[in-house]
Amino acid sequence: GAVVSQHPSWVICKSGTSVKIECRSLDFQATTMFWYRQFPKQSLMLMATSNEGSKATYEQGVEKDKFLINHASLTLSTLTVTSAHPEDSSFYICSARWTGTPYEQYFGPGTRLTVT
Amino acid sequence: GQQLNQSPQSMFIQEGEDVSMNCTSSSIFNTWLWYKQDPGEGPVLLIALYKAGELTSNGRLTAQFGITRKDSFLNISASIPSDVGIYFCAGSSGGGADGLTFGKGTHLIIQP
């Protein structure tokens, strides 16, 4: 149990275009989902917290107008990188928190974004 | 902001050896989690710790939540080749609605 999927697993886009990444909890309902970013050989950095039916909470330094998050249901959150630039190239990973284990977060497999 | 200091940064060991890594924090955490990440994949939860002083095992893995709530360690006994990867500690200071603060990771390399 506690499986989280992401789609796509990798994407290449041109500078200035927008990219949408989906995060789904497959076998449980997630009231809260989180989005992280990981640059090569670095740790995961929290970008935002997404609660179902409400606006996302962004970490300091993360542009909310650039990284649009929608958590429309208990099993789906999306991250849209708008007007992507090469510096947005990174590994984006989502996680989901199951109501049964408040502090355990289960991570998706990640999405590799390359902006050319 | 909160910071986690994880050490060592990397470890080169022989198969069969025991491994120990730890994390310290500048502030108190209510929960400590240990994850393993393989290249190009998301982190996989290994052990979750909820109480100060708690010692928890998962197979060959043992982790402890420091009594001060500012540190945690992970031990791996009798390492095997599939243990290779990057191990991250992560902490949460909130009530479950908070994202995690991650350590910088320990890269475990096992020499045959």
Side-chain angles (χ1 to χ4, degrees):
Chain A
V3 178
V4 178
S5 70
Q6 278 184 244
H7 178 80
S9 57
W10 60 270
V11 57
I12 301 173
C13 71
K14 292 187 176 181
S15 186
T17 61
S18 296
V19 173
K20 179 184 285 188
I21 302 170
E22 292 186 350
C23 176
R24 294 181 184 272
S25 55
L26 298 185
D27 52 359
F28 66 101
Q29 293 185 328
T31 54
T32 305
M33 290 184 172
F34 304 88
W35 287 95
Y36 295 81
R37 181 166 52 183
Q38 185 177 32
F39 291 107
K41 299 187 184 302
Q42 294 190 20
S43 187
L44 285 78
M45 296 297 293
L46 178 66
M47 298 176 66
T49 301
S50 169
N51 291 298
E52 186 265 338
S54 62
K55 290 184 178 180
T57 302
Y58 292 81
E59 294 299 299
Q60 190 173 8
V62 178
E63 300 176 56
K64 62 180 181 181
D65 294 330
K66 180 168 186 63
F67 298 100
L68 300 179
I69 292 173
N70 183 280
H71 193 157
S73 75
L74 287 172
T75 60
L76 173 64
S77 176
T78 60
L79 168 68
T80 301
V81 182
T82 62
S83 186
H85 292 286
E87 57 265 30
D88 297 324
S89 298
S90 187
F91 194 48
Y92 292 87
I93 313 174
C94 71
S95 70
R97 179 176 71 90
W98 177 39
T99 54
T101 53
Y103 304 112
E104 294 180 10
Q105 292 183 23
Y106 297 93
F107 284 82
T111 296
R112 173 74 59 193
L113 171 63
T114 302
V115 184
T116 61
Chain B
Q2 295 172 327
Q3 294 184 347
L4 289 184
N5 297 310
Q6 184 172 351
S7 64
Q9 186 175 3
S10 60
M11 300 183 71
F12 295 81
I13 64 168
Q14 300 283 340
E15 182 178 350
E17 289 185 5
D18 297 342
V19 172
S20 184
M21 60 191 78
N22 69 85
C23 271
T24 59
S25 169
S26 58
S27 56
I28 289 174
F29 282 116
N30 293 325
T31 303
W32 283 93
L33 304 164
W34 285 92
Y35 290 88
K36 178 176 183 279
Q37 185 179 30
D38 291 326
E41 299 183 11
V44 174
L45 180 63
L46 299 175
I47 293 180
L49 302 160
Y50 301 111
K51 297 180 181 179
E54 179 181 356
L55 183 70
T56 299
S57 293
N58 178 9
R60 294 178 295 106
L61 278 61
T62 302
Q64 184 159 29
F65 192 148
I67 197 71
T68 65
R69 293 198 287 162
K70 291 185 177 182
D71 63 298
S72 177
F73 71 75
L74 174 70
N75 288 340
I76 305 173
S77 62
S79 59
I80 59 177
S82 61
D83 290 335
V84 166
I86 301 177
Y87 292 79
F88 289 100
C89 62
S92 171
S93 58
D98 292 356
L100 298 175
T101 300
F102 277 81
K104 295 186 182 297
T106 295
H107 191 182
L108 179 61
I109 300 166
I110 299 177
Q111 299 168 331

